[in-house]
Amino acid sequence: MNNIETLSTASKALRLYNLSKSVGRILMEAQQEKPSYSEFLKGILTMELEGREKRDFERRLSAACLPARHDLEQFDFNYSCGITKSQMKELRSLSWIEQTYNIILMGPSGTGKTFIAAGLVYEAVRNGHKAYLMTMENIVTCLKMKELSPSAMTTYRKILNADLLAIDDIMLLPVSREEATAFFNLINTLHEKTSVIITTNKSPTEWAKDMNDEVLTTALLDRLLYHCEVIKLDGNSYRMENRKTIFEKKKEV
């Protein structure tokens, strides 16, 4: 085994994966450019740190489960009333996550609730946070299955360790009393430890009907609204205004 192979094998054993792939190129460049010992070592460590940060970002981004469209730069303020450009800029600063604030995005379908939630999750991931987007249905299923399924338990632990959890379409469908209790227990556990984004097309006062328990709903709202910004969106449905057709647009003869 030559020196390059030895260095590559040792780098892998030390989990210096970027170095292990690039040993030959790095040595060749060093022979040509003749950096000082400190510059040479600095270059190797910087490359390795950047590689690890990139891999960590890609892992967190994959785990966030974001839809294809989540770039807040593309948010169309013409289709949605209720949030200004300056307010969006403030949300994107993520200072509210550091203060463990919650965000409730409320309004009709198609006004950008999920788009904003997904975009803020992306911004959080990009800034080093553990952040996830899940539907209410996904969460209820996870809570029901976590004692039976290892994958559900893994998801549950991921939620508990999140910096930000976005829950899409909360109370879109009625939940059983058992499911409502489990959901309350989750929110109670996350309270003041994890920021939560809620998207809903119903006002919080309507949730009591879906949870079949006014006392439980009041306790849930007490925790969600304690440190919370409620954003009421309105306007035309972006999806309906921009819906696609399978037919070519041709002039009628």
Side-chain angles (χ1 to χ4, degrees):
M1 185 180 292
N2 60 36
N3 286 340
I4 291 179
E5 289 175 338
T6 301
L7 289 170
S8 180
T9 301
S11 299
K12 278 184 182 178
L14 293 169
R15 298 183 180 179
L16 302 173
Y17 298 119
N18 284 66
L19 177 59
S20 69
K21 297 175 187 174
S22 311
V23 170
R25 176 182 60 78
I26 291 170
L27 292 177
M28 186 177 296
E29 289 176 356
Q31 288 173 349
Q32 294 172 349
E33 298 172 10
K34 296 184 173 23
S36 66
Y37 293 135
S38 61
E39 289 173 338
F40 180 68
L41 184 57
K42 177 185 175 183
I44 291 174
L45 294 179
T46 299
M47 178 192 68
E48 195 60 44
L49 282 172
E50 288 174 349
R52 289 189 179 189
E53 288 172 359
K54 182 181 178 183
R55 290 193 300 274
D56 183 52
F57 168 71
E58 289 171 348
R59 280 194 298 268
R60 285 184 287 106
L61 185 59
S62 176
C65 299
L66 296 177
R69 295 183 68 254
H70 55 256
D71 184 359
L72 291 177
E73 291 291 337
Q74 298 176 12
F75 184 76
D76 193 338
F77 291 89
N78 295 320
Y79 282 93
S80 185
C81 306
I83 186 167
T84 65
K85 291 182 180 180
S86 61
Q87 287 172 332
M88 181 69 83
K89 182 178 180 181
E90 190 168 347
L91 287 177
R92 295 179 70 179
S93 74
L94 305 179
S95 59
W96 50 277
I97 294 181
E98 305 301 331
Q99 301 169 47
T100 328
Y101 254 75
N102 301 324
I103 307 289
I104 293 182
L105 299 165
M106 184 167 50
S109 180
T111 51
K113 303 185 300 296
T114 301
F115 187 90
I116 294 172
L120 292 175
V121 168
Y122 174 76
E123 296 284 351
V125 169
R126 193 172 68 169
N127 283 272
H129 294 290
K130 290 174 285 188
Y132 311 103
L133 174 68
M134 300 178 68
T135 65
M136 177 74 172
E137 184 179 5
N138 292 153
I139 289 177
V140 167
T141 300
C142 172
L143 295 176
K144 285 196 293 187
M145 297 298 295
K146 64 184 175 67
E147 303 299 338
L148 305 173
S149 164
S151 62
M153 179 56 78
T154 298
T155 300
Y156 178 68
R157 287 173 178 157
K158 180 176 73 173
I159 291 171
L160 295 186
N161 290 316
D163 300 307
L164 172 63
L165 174 66
I167 307 174
D168 199 25
D169 287 330
I170 191 172
M171 303 305 166
L172 181 64
L173 301 171
V175 294
S176 68
R177 188 175 293 265
E178 181 182 349
E179 291 167 344
T181 302
F183 182 68
F184 167 77
N185 288 336
L186 173 65
I187 295 300
N188 190 47
T189 301
L190 298 179
H191 182 52
E192 294 197 287
K193 294 193 296 183
T194 299
S195 287
V196 176
I197 298 175
I198 298 289
T199 78
T200 180
N201 58 11
K202 298 179 180 180
S203 67
T205 54
E206 294 179 272
W207 296 358
K209 297 177 184 177
D210 297 313
M211 293 181 71
N212 297 307
D213 190 324
E214 188 172 340
V215 173
L216 193 63
T217 305
T218 301
L220 175 66
L221 290 173
D222 180 67
R223 284 149 182 79
L224 286 175
L225 296 174
Y226 177 56
H227 284 143
C228 183
E229 189 69 41
V230 179
I231 300 172
K232 296 179 180 179
L233 299 171
D234 198 3
N236 298 324
S237 169
Y238 184 89
R239 285 186 290 270
M240 292 304 295
E241 293 282 342
N242 294 273
R243 67 189 185 89
K244 306 296 184 183
T245 176
I246 61 173
F247 301 110
E248 289 186 42
K249 291 183 179 179
K250 295 180 179 179
K251 290 183 179 180
E252 294 290 339
V253 179

